[in-house]
C-alpha cells in the first residue's frame, strides 16, 4: 500500500539542520525540474507582484516571500516535521513507526514534485495550482517528470491528494481516491455534501489508522474492510472510497 498526500500550507517556522541539498532528495529523476522551479520561485518572490502571482493572503505574504527568497541558504528539516495543519495533525506521525510511515507515504509538492518523509527541505510557500513565471502551470510542468520518476510496484494506491496535486500524477491501478462526505436527512431523505476541514481531518485519521494497524490492503475491497474496521462508514464508488460522516 502507498498513501499519497498533499502538502500543507501550514508549516514549521524554521528548519534546524544543514541547508537544502537537492542531490539528497528522493526520486532523483525530478532534480532537473526541481532546479528550474526553485530558481523561478526565488526570482518571482523578489518581484513587486509576487504575492499576487503566488496567491498569498495579505497576512502571510511578507513571511512567505522572505522564506522563498532564502530557500537556498535556509536550514532544512525532515518532511515528517515540516508540514502541520489539520491533515498532518490527525496523521500524528510522531506516534507512528517512522520506517513504516516513510515506506508507505509519498507527499506531493508544487516546488519539489514528490517527497518521502525523510527528505530534508526548508519551509517554503508554493501551491501546485500556481502559474509560475516563466514556467507556467506547475501541474502541467511536473506531469511528464512525475510519470517518469514514480512507480508503485503494483501496490494499492490510497490517494488522499487534493485536486491540483492529483492532476500532476495519475496513479496507476490499483488506485483508490478517498473522498469525504457529510450526510444529513433533508426532507426525509439522506443528502450528501462535500466537506473541507473535516475531509482533511478524516483523511489524516484514516492514514494514521491504517499505518498504526499495520494494514496492507492489496485491493479496493480489502481497503474498504480495513477502513470499516477502523470505525468509519465507507463505500466503494467508481474508483473512489467514499467516507460518510453523519451528524
Amino acid at each position: 500500500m502507498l498513501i499519497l498526500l498533499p502538502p500543507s500550507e501550514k508549516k514549521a517556522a524554521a528548519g534546524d539542520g544543514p541547508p537544502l541539498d537537492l542531490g539528497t532528495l528522493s526520486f532523483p529523476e525530478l532534480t532537473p525540474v526541481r532546479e528550474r522551479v526553485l530558481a523561478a520561485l526565488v526570482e518571482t518572490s523578489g518581484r513587486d507582484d509576487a504575492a499576487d502571482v503566488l496567491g498569498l493572503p495579505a497576512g502571510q505574504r511578507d513571511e512567505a516571500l522572505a522564506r522563498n527568497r532564502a530557500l537556498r541558504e535556509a536550514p532544512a528539516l525532515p518532511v515528517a516535521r515540516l508540514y502541520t495543519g489539520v491533515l498532518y495533525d490527525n496523521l500524528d506521525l510522531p506516534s507512528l513507526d517512522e520506517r513504516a510511515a516513510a515506506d508507505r507515504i509519498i507527499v506531493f509538492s508544487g516546488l519539489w514534485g514528490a517527497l518521502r518523509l525523510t527528505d530534508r527541505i526548508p519551509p517554503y510557500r508554493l501551491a501546485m495550482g500556481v502559474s509560475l513565471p516563466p514556467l507556467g502551470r506547475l501541474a502541467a510542468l511536473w506531469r511528464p517528470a512525475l510519470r517518469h520518476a514514480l512507480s508503485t510496484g503494483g501496490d494499492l494506491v490510497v490517494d488522499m491528494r487534493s485536486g491540483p496535486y492529483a492532476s500532476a500524477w495519475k496513479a496507476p491501478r490499483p488506485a483508490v481516491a478517498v473522498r469525504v462526505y457529510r450526510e444529513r436527512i433533508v426532507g426525509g431523505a439522506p443528502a450528501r455534501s462535500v466537506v473541507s476541514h473535516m475531509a482533511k481531518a478524516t483523511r489524516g485519521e484514516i492514514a494514521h489508522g491504517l499505518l498504526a494497524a499495520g494494514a496492507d490492503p492489496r485491493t479496493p475491497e480489502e481497503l474498504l474492510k480495513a477502513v470499516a474496521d477502523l470505525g468509519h462508514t465507507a463505500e466503494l464508488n467508481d474508483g473512489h472510497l467514499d467516507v460518510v460522516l453523519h451528524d
Side-chain angles (χ1 to χ4, degrees), residues 33 37 67 88 138 153 160 172 193 195 198 220 228 247:
V33 182
V37 178
R67 286 181 176 183
Y88 286 88
L138 291 172
M160 299 188 175
S193 59
V195 294
M198 286 306 298
D247 287 341

Side-chain angles (χ1 to χ4, degrees), residues 35 95 167 176 182-183 214 229 231 240 246:
E35 290 175 338
S95 70
S167 71
V176 179
R182 182 175 298 283
E183 186 172 278
D229 288 344
H240 297 87
H246 298 277

Side-chain angles (χ1 to χ4, degrees), residues 3 5 86-92 96 160 180 197-213 227 230-232 243 245:
I3 298 175
L5 297 180
V86 176
L87 188 153
Y88 286 88
D89 287 347
N90 285 272
L91 176 58
D92 192 15
L96 296 172
M160 299 188 175
V180 182
H197 180 88
M198 286 306 298
K200 295 176 183 179
T202 301
R203 290 186 180 109
E205 289 175 5
I206 290 173
H208 175 92
L210 293 171
L211 292 167
V227 170
L230 295 173
H232 297 277
V243 182
L245 308 178

